[in-house]
Amino acid sequence: MTIKVKISLFLSIVAIILIITVTMLNTGITVHNPVGDMTATVINEVEAYGTDYVYIQNMPSTAEPVVLSEGVNGLDYTYDGLNYVHLSDVKNEVVQVGTGKQGNYSGKLTGYGPDCPGCSKVGNVACRTKEGTNHSLTYDGLYYNDSVYGEVRILAADNSAFPCGTIVKVDNGVLSKFVGIVLDSGSAMRNAWKDGIVWMDLAFSSQAEALTGGATSSNTSFEVQRWGW
């Protein structure tokens, strides 16, 4: 094989290797074009998600809406106006909205421990959980894991006014704002409600901690987010 032929073959190979790269607009996908000077136009099409509302009667109309699941945009693209590719489906956001009676109150907050006078020492609360089990402040803790609101502090209240499972946003001006769940009760709270006074008790690990934990306030805001279970 002559030198000229070898050079020609080498240049041909180089020409094949040095292909033209076409970058698709907006997709971040790079397509290598081995046949020469070709271009392609790619257009992304985003399908925006909507919102589906779930109306709950045991959720106060004054409660903040709850996002049960996040929305996801759908995505498609076309190139050269001929080829269509479906990348992902649209998924609507789902929001829970209350239609029940209003639930905003002002009242008194105090604290208590499982070793309080007249208490069971292990802190067995008055209510059963949604799963139908007993809850001990000593053995199971001061929090309950709610399926919608997550980890929430345990509260005692008058269960005729605030049924077991009631979710409340609490702001006593001393502690950081928190979300609690009514899982306990007490005679002081029941007697106060007879006089039209809202009184809730926040569970602590001991009575000594309850007295120094910053719960006590006579000017507390209670915002019910859900009535009972």
CSV table of all heavy atoms in Angstrom, one decimal, residues 101-148:
chain,number,residue,atom,x,y,z
A,101,LYS,N,-66.6,23.0,62.8
A,101,LYS,CA,-66.7,24.2,63.6
A,101,LYS,C,-65.4,24.8,63.9
A,101,LYS,O,-64.3,24.2,63.9
A,101,LYS,CB,-67.5,23.9,64.9
A,101,LYS,CG,-66.7,23.0,65.9
A,101,LYS,CD,-67.4,22.8,67.2
A,101,LYS,CE,-66.6,21.9,68.1
A,101,LYS,NZ,-67.3,21.7,69.4
A,102,GLN,N,-65.4,26.2,64.2
A,102,GLN,CA,-64.1,26.9,64.4
A,102,GLN,C,-63.5,26.3,65.7
A,102,GLN,O,-64.1,25.8,66.6
A,102,GLN,CB,-64.4,28.4,64.6
A,102,GLN,CG,-65.0,28.8,65.9
A,102,GLN,CD,-64.0,29.1,67.0
A,102,GLN,OE1,-62.9,29.5,66.7
A,102,GLN,NE2,-64.4,28.9,68.2
A,103,GLY,N,-62.1,26.4,65.8
A,103,GLY,CA,-61.4,25.8,66.9
A,103,GLY,C,-60.4,26.7,67.5
A,103,GLY,O,-59.4,26.2,68.1
A,104,ASN,N,-60.6,28.0,67.5
A,104,ASN,CA,-59.6,28.9,68.1
A,104,ASN,C,-60.0,29.4,69.5
A,104,ASN,O,-61.1,29.9,69.7
A,104,ASN,CB,-59.3,30.2,67.2
A,104,ASN,CG,-58.6,29.8,65.9
A,104,ASN,OD1,-58.1,28.7,65.7
A,104,ASN,ND2,-58.6,30.7,65.0
A,105,TYR,N,-59.1,29.2,70.5
A,105,TYR,CA,-59.5,29.5,71.9
A,105,TYR,C,-58.3,30.2,72.6
A,105,TYR,O,-57.2,30.0,72.1
A,105,TYR,CB,-59.8,28.2,72.7
A,105,TYR,CG,-61.0,27.5,72.1
A,105,TYR,CD1,-60.8,26.4,71.2
A,105,TYR,CD2,-62.3,27.7,72.6
A,105,TYR,CE1,-61.9,25.7,70.7
A,105,TYR,CE2,-63.4,27.0,72.1
A,105,TYR,CZ,-63.1,26.0,71.1
A,105,TYR,OH,-64.2,25.3,70.6
A,106,SER,N,-58.6,30.9,73.6
A,106,SER,CA,-57.6,31.4,74.5
A,106,SER,C,-57.9,30.8,75.9
A,106,SER,O,-59.0,30.7,76.3
A,106,SER,CB,-57.6,32.9,74.6
A,106,SER,OG,-57.2,33.5,73.4
A,107,GLY,N,-56.8,30.5,76.6
A,107,GLY,CA,-57.0,29.9,77.9
A,107,GLY,C,-55.7,29.7,78.7
A,107,GLY,O,-54.7,30.4,78.5
A,108,LYS,N,-55.7,28.6,79.5
A,108,LYS,CA,-54.6,28.4,80.5
A,108,LYS,C,-53.9,27.1,80.1
A,108,LYS,O,-54.5,26.1,79.7
A,108,LYS,CB,-55.2,28.2,81.9
A,108,LYS,CG,-54.2,28.0,83.0
A,108,LYS,CD,-55.0,27.9,84.3
A,108,LYS,CE,-54.0,27.6,85.5
A,108,LYS,NZ,-54.8,27.5,86.8
A,109,LEU,N,-52.6,27.1,80.2
A,109,LEU,CA,-51.7,25.9,80.0
A,109,LEU,C,-50.9,25.7,81.2
A,109,LEU,O,-50.3,26.6,81.8
A,109,LEU,CB,-50.8,26.1,78.8
A,109,LEU,CG,-49.9,24.9,78.5
A,109,LEU,CD1,-50.7,23.7,77.9
A,109,LEU,CD2,-48.8,25.3,77.5
A,110,THR,N,-50.8,24.5,81.7
A,110,THR,CA,-50.0,24.1,82.8
A,110,THR,C,-49.2,22.8,82.4
A,110,THR,O,-49.4,22.3,81.3
A,110,THR,CB,-50.8,23.8,84.1
A,110,THR,OG1,-51.8,22.9,83.8
A,110,THR,CG2,-51.3,25.1,84.6
A,111,GLY,N,-48.4,22.3,83.3
A,111,GLY,CA,-47.7,21.0,83.0
A,111,GLY,C,-47.9,20.0,84.1
A,111,GLY,O,-48.3,20.3,85.2
A,112,TYR,N,-47.7,18.8,83.7
A,112,TYR,CA,-47.9,17.7,84.7
A,112,TYR,C,-46.9,16.5,84.4
A,112,TYR,O,-46.5,16.4,83.2
A,112,TYR,CB,-49.3,17.2,84.8
A,112,TYR,CG,-49.7,16.3,83.7
A,112,TYR,CD1,-49.9,14.9,83.8
A,112,TYR,CD2,-50.0,16.8,82.4
A,112,TYR,CE1,-50.3,14.1,82.7
A,112,TYR,CE2,-50.4,16.0,81.3
A,112,TYR,CZ,-50.6,14.7,81.5
A,112,TYR,OH,-50.9,13.9,80.5
A,113,GLY,N,-46.6,15.7,85.3
A,113,GLY,CA,-45.7,14.5,85.1
A,113,GLY,C,-46.4,13.3,85.6
A,113,GLY,O,-47.5,13.4,86.3
A,114,PRO,N,-45.9,12.1,85.2
A,114,PRO,CA,-46.6,10.9,85.6
A,114,PRO,C,-46.6,10.6,87.1
A,114,PRO,O,-47.4,9.8,87.6
A,114,PRO,CB,-45.8,9.8,84.9
A,114,PRO,CG,-44.5,10.5,84.6
A,114,PRO,CD,-44.8,11.9,84.4
A,115,ASP,N,-45.7,11.4,87.8
A,115,ASP,CA,-45.6,11.2,89.3
A,115,ASP,C,-46.4,12.4,90.0
A,115,ASP,O,-46.2,12.6,91.2
A,115,ASP,CB,-44.2,11.2,89.7
A,115,ASP,CG,-43.4,12.5,89.3
A,115,ASP,OD1,-43.9,13.2,88.4
A,115,ASP,OD2,-42.3,12.8,89.9
A,116,CYS,N,-47.3,13.0,89.3
A,116,CYS,CA,-48.1,14.1,89.9
A,116,CYS,C,-49.0,13.5,91.0
A,116,CYS,O,-49.3,12.3,90.9
A,116,CYS,CB,-48.9,14.9,88.9
A,116,CYS,SG,-50.2,13.9,88.1
A,117,PRO,N,-49.5,14.3,91.9
A,117,PRO,CA,-50.4,13.8,93.0
A,117,PRO,C,-51.7,13.3,92.3
A,117,PRO,O,-52.3,13.9,91.5
A,117,PRO,CB,-50.8,15.1,93.8
A,117,PRO,CG,-49.6,16.0,93.6
A,117,PRO,CD,-49.1,15.7,92.2
A,118,GLY,N,-52.0,12.0,92.7
A,118,GLY,CA,-53.1,11.3,92.1
A,118,GLY,C,-52.9,10.7,90.8
A,118,GLY,O,-53.8,10.0,90.3
A,119,CYS,N,-51.7,10.8,90.2
A,119,CYS,CA,-51.4,10.2,88.9
A,119,CYS,C,-50.9,8.7,89.2
A,119,CYS,O,-50.6,8.3,90.3
A,119,CYS,CB,-50.3,11.0,88.2
A,119,CYS,SG,-50.9,12.6,87.7
A,120,SER,N,-50.8,8.0,88.1
A,120,SER,CA,-50.6,6.5,88.1
A,120,SER,C,-49.1,6.2,88.3
A,120,SER,O,-48.8,5.0,88.4
A,120,SER,CB,-51.1,5.9,86.9
A,120,SER,OG,-50.3,6.3,85.7
A,121,LYS,N,-48.2,7.2,88.3
A,121,LYS,CA,-46.7,7.0,88.5
A,121,LYS,C,-46.1,6.5,87.2
A,121,LYS,O,-44.9,6.8,86.9
A,121,LYS,CB,-46.4,6.1,89.6
A,121,LYS,CG,-47.0,6.4,90.9
A,121,LYS,CD,-46.8,7.9,91.3
A,121,LYS,CE,-47.5,8.2,92.6
A,121,LYS,NZ,-47.5,9.7,92.9
A,122,VAL,N,-46.8,5.8,86.4
A,122,VAL,CA,-46.3,5.4,85.1
A,122,VAL,C,-46.9,6.2,83.9
A,122,VAL,O,-46.6,6.0,82.8
A,122,VAL,CB,-46.5,3.9,84.8
A,122,VAL,CG1,-45.7,3.0,85.7
A,122,VAL,CG2,-48.0,3.5,84.8
A,123,GLY,N,-47.8,7.1,84.3
A,123,GLY,CA,-48.4,8.0,83.3
A,123,GLY,C,-49.3,7.4,82.3
A,123,GLY,O,-49.3,7.7,81.1
A,124,ASN,N,-50.1,6.4,82.7
A,124,ASN,CA,-51.1,5.8,81.8
A,124,ASN,C,-52.1,6.9,81.5
A,124,ASN,O,-52.8,7.4,82.3
A,124,ASN,CB,-51.8,4.6,82.4
A,124,ASN,CG,-50.8,3.4,82.5
A,124,ASN,OD1,-49.9,3.2,81.7
A,124,ASN,ND2,-51.0,2.7,83.6
A,125,VAL,N,-52.2,7.3,80.2
A,125,VAL,CA,-53.1,8.4,79.8
A,125,VAL,C,-54.5,7.9,79.7
A,125,VAL,O,-54.8,6.6,79.6
A,125,VAL,CB,-52.7,9.0,78.4
A,125,VAL,CG1,-51.3,9.6,78.5
A,125,VAL,CG2,-52.7,7.9,77.3
A,126,ALA,N,-55.5,8.8,79.7
A,126,ALA,CA,-56.9,8.4,79.8
A,126,ALA,C,-57.5,7.9,78.5
A,126,ALA,O,-58.4,7.1,78.5
A,126,ALA,CB,-57.7,9.7,80.2
A,127,CYS,N,-56.9,8.3,77.4
A,127,CYS,CA,-57.4,7.9,76.1
A,127,CYS,C,-56.6,6.7,75.5
A,127,CYS,O,-55.4,6.6,75.8
A,127,CYS,CB,-57.2,9.0,75.1
A,127,CYS,SG,-58.1,10.6,75.6
A,128,ARG,N,-57.2,5.9,74.7
A,128,ARG,CA,-56.5,4.9,73.9
A,128,ARG,C,-56.1,5.6,72.6
A,128,ARG,O,-56.7,6.6,72.1
A,128,ARG,CB,-57.5,3.8,73.5
A,128,ARG,CG,-57.7,2.8,74.7
A,128,ARG,CD,-58.5,1.6,74.3
A,128,ARG,NE,-58.6,0.6,75.4
A,128,ARG,CZ,-57.7,-0.4,75.6
A,128,ARG,NH1,-56.7,-0.5,74.8
A,128,ARG,NH2,-57.9,-1.2,76.6
A,129,THR,N,-55.0,5.1,72.1
A,129,THR,CA,-54.5,5.7,70.8
A,129,THR,C,-55.4,5.3,69.7
A,129,THR,O,-56.3,4.5,69.8
A,129,THR,CB,-53.1,5.1,70.5
A,129,THR,OG1,-53.2,3.7,70.3
A,129,THR,CG2,-52.1,5.4,71.7
A,130,LYS,N,-55.1,5.8,68.5
A,130,LYS,CA,-55.9,5.5,67.3
A,130,LYS,C,-55.8,4.0,67.0
A,130,LYS,O,-56.7,3.4,66.5
A,130,LYS,CB,-55.5,6.3,66.1
A,130,LYS,CG,-56.4,6.1,64.9
A,130,LYS,CD,-56.0,7.0,63.8
A,130,LYS,CE,-57.0,6.9,62.6
A,130,LYS,NZ,-56.6,7.8,61.5
A,131,GLU,N,-54.7,3.4,67.4
A,131,GLU,CA,-54.4,2.0,67.1
A,131,GLU,C,-55.1,1.1,68.2
A,131,GLU,O,-55.0,-0.1,68.1
A,131,GLU,CB,-52.9,1.7,67.1
A,131,GLU,CG,-52.2,2.4,66.0
A,131,GLU,CD,-51.9,3.8,66.3
A,131,GLU,OE1,-51.9,4.3,67.4
A,131,GLU,OE2,-51.7,4.6,65.3
A,132,GLY,N,-55.8,1.7,69.2
A,132,GLY,CA,-56.5,1.0,70.2
A,132,GLY,C,-55.6,0.5,71.3
A,132,GLY,O,-56.0,-0.3,72.1
A,133,THR,N,-54.4,1.1,71.5
A,133,THR,CA,-53.5,0.7,72.5
A,133,THR,C,-53.4,1.7,73.7
A,133,THR,O,-53.8,2.8,73.5
A,133,THR,CB,-52.0,0.5,71.9
A,133,THR,OG1,-51.6,1.8,71.4
A,133,THR,CG2,-52.0,-0.5,70.8
A,134,ASN,N,-52.9,1.3,74.8
A,134,ASN,CA,-52.7,2.2,75.9
A,134,ASN,C,-51.3,2.9,75.7
A,134,ASN,O,-50.4,2.3,75.1
A,134,ASN,CB,-52.6,1.4,77.3
A,134,ASN,CG,-54.0,0.8,77.6
A,134,ASN,OD1,-55.0,1.4,77.4
A,134,ASN,ND2,-54.0,-0.5,78.1
A,135,HIS,N,-51.2,4.1,76.3
A,135,HIS,CA,-50.0,4.8,76.2
A,135,HIS,C,-49.5,5.2,77.6
A,135,HIS,O,-50.3,5.8,78.3
A,135,HIS,CB,-50.2,6.1,75.3
A,135,HIS,CG,-48.9,6.8,75.0
A,135,HIS,ND1,-48.2,6.6,73.8
A,135,HIS,CD2,-48.2,7.7,75.8
A,135,HIS,CE1,-47.1,7.4,73.8
A,135,HIS,NE2,-47.1,8.1,75.0
A,136,SER,N,-48.2,4.9,77.9
A,136,SER,CA,-47.6,5.3,79.1
A,136,SER,C,-46.6,6.4,78.9
A,136,SER,O,-45.7,6.3,78.0
A,136,SER,CB,-46.9,4.1,79.8
A,136,SER,OG,-46.0,4.5,80.8
A,137,LEU,N,-46.7,7.5,79.7
A,137,LEU,CA,-45.8,8.6,79.5
A,137,LEU,C,-44.4,8.2,79.9
A,137,LEU,O,-43.4,8.6,79.3
A,137,LEU,CB,-46.2,9.8,80.4
A,137,LEU,CG,-47.5,10.4,80.1
A,137,LEU,CD1,-47.8,11.6,81.1
A,137,LEU,CD2,-47.6,11.0,78.7
A,138,THR,N,-44.3,7.2,80.9
A,138,THR,CA,-43.0,6.8,81.3
A,138,THR,C,-42.3,5.8,80.3
A,138,THR,O,-41.1,5.9,80.0
A,138,THR,CB,-43.1,6.0,82.7
A,138,THR,OG1,-43.7,7.0,83.7
A,138,THR,CG2,-41.8,5.5,83.2
A,139,TYR,N,-43.1,4.9,79.8
A,139,TYR,CA,-42.5,3.8,79.0
A,139,TYR,C,-42.6,4.1,77.5
A,139,TYR,O,-41.8,3.7,76.7
A,139,TYR,CB,-43.2,2.5,79.3
A,139,TYR,CG,-43.0,2.0,80.7
A,139,TYR,CD1,-44.1,1.9,81.6
A,139,TYR,CD2,-41.7,1.8,81.2
A,139,TYR,CE1,-43.9,1.5,82.9
A,139,TYR,CE2,-41.5,1.4,82.5
A,139,TYR,CZ,-42.6,1.3,83.4
A,139,TYR,OH,-42.4,0.9,84.7
A,140,ASP,N,-43.7,4.9,77.1
A,140,ASP,CA,-43.8,5.2,75.7
A,140,ASP,C,-43.5,6.6,75.3
A,140,ASP,O,-43.4,6.9,74.1
A,140,ASP,CB,-45.3,4.9,75.3
A,140,ASP,CG,-45.7,3.5,75.5
A,140,ASP,OD1,-45.0,2.6,75.1
A,140,ASP,OD2,-46.8,3.3,76.1
A,141,GLY,N,-43.3,7.5,76.3
A,141,GLY,CA,-42.8,8.8,76.0
A,141,GLY,C,-43.8,9.9,76.0
A,141,GLY,O,-45.0,9.7,76.2
A,142,LEU,N,-43.4,11.1,75.8
A,142,LEU,CA,-44.2,12.3,75.9
A,142,LEU,C,-44.8,12.7,74.5
A,142,LEU,O,-45.6,13.7,74.4
A,142,LEU,CB,-43.4,13.5,76.4
A,142,LEU,CG,-42.6,13.3,77.7
A,142,LEU,CD1,-41.8,14.5,78.0
A,142,LEU,CD2,-43.6,13.0,78.8
A,143,TYR,N,-44.5,11.9,73.5
A,143,TYR,CA,-44.9,12.2,72.1
A,143,TYR,C,-45.7,11.1,71.6
A,143,TYR,O,-45.6,9.9,72.0
A,143,TYR,CB,-43.7,12.5,71.2
A,143,TYR,CG,-43.0,13.7,71.4
A,143,TYR,CD1,-42.0,13.8,72.4
A,143,TYR,CD2,-43.2,14.9,70.7
A,143,TYR,CE1,-41.3,15.0,72.7
A,143,TYR,CE2,-42.5,16.0,70.9
A,143,TYR,CZ,-41.5,16.1,71.9
A,143,TYR,OH,-40.8,17.2,72.1
A,144,TYR,N,-46.6,11.4,70.6
A,144,TYR,CA,-47.4,10.4,69.9
A,144,TYR,C,-47.1,10.7,68.4
A,144,TYR,O,-47.1,11.8,68.0
A,144,TYR,CB,-48.9,10.5,70.2
A,144,TYR,CG,-49.7,9.6,69.4
A,144,TYR,CD1,-49.8,8.2,69.6
A,144,TYR,CD2,-50.5,10.1,68.3
A,144,TYR,CE1,-50.6,7.4,68.9
A,144,TYR,CE2,-51.3,9.3,67.5
A,144,TYR,CZ,-51.3,7.9,67.8
A,144,TYR,OH,-52.1,7.1,67.0
A,145,ASN,N,-47.0,9.6,67.6
A,145,ASN,CA,-46.7,9.7,66.2
A,145,ASN,C,-48.0,9.7,65.5
A,145,ASN,O,-48.6,8.6,65.2
A,145,ASN,CB,-45.8,8.6,65.7
A,145,ASN,CG,-45.3,8.8,64.3
A,145,ASN,OD1,-45.6,9.9,63.7
A,145,ASN,ND2,-44.7,7.8,63.7
A,146,ASP,N,-48.5,10.8,65.1
A,146,ASP,CA,-49.8,10.9,64.4
A,146,ASP,C,-49.6,10.7,62.9
A,146,ASP,O,-48.6,11.1,62.3
A,146,ASP,CB,-50.5,12.3,64.6
A,146,ASP,CG,-51.9,12.4,64.1
A,146,ASP,OD1,-52.8,11.9,64.7
A,146,ASP,OD2,-52.0,12.9,62.9
A,147,SER,N,-50.5,10.0,62.2
A,147,SER,CA,-50.4,9.6,60.8
A,147,SER,C,-50.4,10.9,59.9
A,147,SER,O,-49.8,10.8,58.8
A,147,SER,CB,-51.5,8.7,60.4
A,147,SER,OG,-52.8,9.3,60.6
A,148,VAL,N,-51.0,12.0,60.3
A,148,VAL,CA,-51.0,13.2,59.5
A,148,VAL,C,-50.0,14.2,60.0
A,148,VAL,O,-49.3,14.9,59.3
A,148,VAL,CB,-52.4,13.7,59.4
A,148,VAL,CG1,-52.5,15.1,58.7
A,148,VAL,CG2,-53.4,12.7,58.8
